[in-house]
Structures are given as C-alpha cells and as structure tokens.
Amino acid sequence: MTRHLRIPVADTVLDAEDTGGPGRPVIYLNGAYAGRRHWRPVTAELGTEFRHITYDARARGKSERSEDYSFEAMLTDIDAVLEATGVERPLLVGWSYGATLAAYWAERNPGRAAGVVCVDGAMPFGLTGEEGRERIRKTFHGMRWLLPLVRPLGLAAKMTAAQHADVNIDVNEKGAAIAPVLERVTCPLRFVLATGGNLGGGEEEMEAGRASLEPVLAQNPNLAVSAKVPSNHSQILRRDFRAIADAVREVAGADARRNPSGR
C-alpha cells in the first residue's frame, strides 16, 4: 500500500510517496523545478516489480520552501528520504537536474547505489563563467511572469525568478565538472538520451551536450547509453517512458548479476 510521507530535513519538509512492497527500491529524482507527478508513466510501466519512491524537492510540488536550494542541499535530501523509507541500496533514476544529482550521489556513495539511470542529464556540459551566468539570469528574468502560471502544472518551483536562475547556474557548474565524477562511478549507469532542443537550449547546443558523453563512456565500462529516443528533453518522461523503464530493468539486471545476494 502506498504511504504518503512528510519528511523533515534542515529547515523544510519534503512531501513523498512510497509504494512499498517487496520489489527492488527505486528513488526518482526530478527535473530542476518539476514535481514528482512527471514520473507516473514510468512507474506505471514498471508496475509492482519495483518499489517506487518519489518526492517533491524543496519548494517544488507539495514540499515546503527553504533558505537553501543548493545542489549540495539536494544531495543531503536524498539521504533524508532514504532514511525515512528505510532503503539502503536504491536504484536511482534522475531526469535532467535529477540525473546530475543521481550521478554525484552514486559517486560519493560507492557500494550504496544499486545502479543509476540518467534521463537526458548528467552530461559533461554546461553554461559557466560570467557570460553563462548572465545568460541564465536573463532567461529567467524574461520568464518571471510565466513561472507562477506553470507552477500548478509542476513545471516551476515556489521560488522567485532569481532563485530559479541560481539553481540553474549551480547545476550548470556541476554538469560542466561531472566528467571525472562519471569516470569514478562503480555501479551500472545507463543513459536515456533525448533529441532536439529545449527551453533555454537550442538543438545544436543540446546535441553538443549529449556528444560530450563519448569520452567518458570510453573511460568507464560501467557506463553505457541504453537508448536515444525521438522525444525532446521536456517530453521524454511522457513520450518515451517505455525506454526509461527498459533502462531501469537493464540496470537492475546488471546489478543482480554483479550482486546475486542483493547486497
């Protein structure tokens, strides 16, 4: 039976759901401003063979606001959710910002992650430097009137436009520095990549980001591309959920072969 959880952490409270059951536990990490609702097609496709743990990050969805929206704070929230649910070796599935979170968490916690699926994220690419930061700030300043309108759809956080920009700047810097992180990941990690552009990034720029994975894939045999799908970055969870579910099963199978005892 699905449990609804309110998880206190630092100065906020995270809203979460845990389907429970004997299946392999999967924790889902959302896009930068998205709520957990976007994972529904994936969890429905995977069904009861997995235990699904979803949560809204700080100031997203039904979770409370915070004074700290940093990438490092979001990493600590993963630990808080795992402790609240009693999960020790999760399989992490992240989309966009969440993919970067998943990769960093797995690298910092060797042996604790059963595997990772990165959905169009965790690529060694990002807008950095003052020029990149200014571009991000201008983009979100221009969208400041739109953010409250798309918040009920789970596409924006309970933040100001400037806070949205700061989150984006933070993850761009983490993404640009992720190559050595990916090279050190010791668990099975699979990428499901989209095609085309995205809000704030044109098709050519997004494809350059995906191409940046090639040297890292050559360095670490634990990493592979499971699929490249026709959906763009924003549509991938809704349109290509089956490919994502297949990647989850692939990673779970790879972990089972490496760890028959499940430990």
Side-chain angles (χ1 to χ4, degrees):
M1 179 179 292
T2 299
R3 288 193 301 153
H4 177 241
L5 303 170
R6 298 285 290 174
I7 303 172
V9 53
D11 66 343
T12 189
V13 179
L14 305 177
D15 198 85
E17 286 187 345
D18 177 2
T19 63
R24 181 184 287 267
V26 182
I27 184 167
Y28 297 86
L29 306 175
N30 311 322
Y33 319 106
R36 65 178 184 264
R37 70 172 72 175
H38 300 285
W39 291 108
R40 289 173 184 168
V42 178
T43 59
E45 177 70 14
L46 288 169
T48 57
E49 64 180 298
F50 292 90
R51 173 184 172 185
H52 308 289
I53 300 166
T54 56
Y55 71 98
D56 293 326
R58 303 177 184 212
R60 286 78 156 178
K62 296 179 180 179
S63 291
E64 302 297 328
R65 289 179 171 87
S66 172
E67 292 296 318
D68 187 357
Y69 298 120
S70 68
F71 189 87
E72 292 299 322
M74 300 302 158
L75 283 172
T76 66
D77 290 350
I78 297 173
D79 291 308
V81 172
L82 293 176
E83 182 177 358
T85 54
V87 171
E88 296 182 358
R89 286 190 75 247
L91 195 159
L92 294 91
V93 183
W95 166 46
S96 191
Y97 181 101
T100 304
L101 277 177
Y104 270 86
W105 192 91
E107 185 269 337
R108 293 187 187 184
N109 294 274
R112 289 188 65 195
V116 177
V117 174
C118 293
V119 182
D120 213 39
M123 297 171 280
F125 188 83
L127 299 175
T128 58
E130 189 51 42
E131 183 178 348
R133 290 190 288 269
E134 186 59 24
R135 175 178 161 185
I136 292 168
R137 292 189 185 104
K138 285 183 177 179
T139 297
F140 282 95
H141 181 73
M143 295 193 301
R144 64 192 183 280
W145 60 271
L146 180 63
L147 297 174
L149 300 179
V150 299
R151 188 180 300 150
L153 304 176
L155 298 173
K158 292 172 280 193
M159 300 176 185
T160 65
Q163 288 171 323
H164 278 83
D166 287 343
V167 168
N168 199 276
I169 289 168
D170 197 6
V171 75
N172 267 270
E173 291 175 351
K174 289 294 191 294
I178 204 172
V181 172
L182 291 171
E183 290 172 3
R184 292 191 294 266
V185 169
T186 57
C187 64
L189 187 154
R190 298 294 180 268
F191 291 93
V192 179
L193 302 177
T195 55
N198 183 47
L199 181 64
E203 182 173 349
E204 185 174 336
E205 188 171 66
M206 293 294 288
E207 283 301 302
R210 294 162 189 139
S212 70
L213 279 172
E214 294 175 7
V216 180
L217 294 171
Q219 289 292 322
N220 188 344
N222 295 309
L223 277 53
V225 174
S226 180
K228 188 164 185 179
V229 297
S231 301
N232 68 24
H233 183 81
S234 300
Q235 300 168 333
I236 190 167
L237 297 189
R238 178 167 53 89
R239 294 193 174 182
D240 278 296
F241 58 89
R242 291 186 180 88
I244 298 166
D246 286 344
V248 173
R249 295 186 184 102
E250 181 182 343
V251 167
D255 178 64
R257 290 189 292 274
R258 294 170 61 164
N259 300 282
S261 67
R263 298 181 178 179

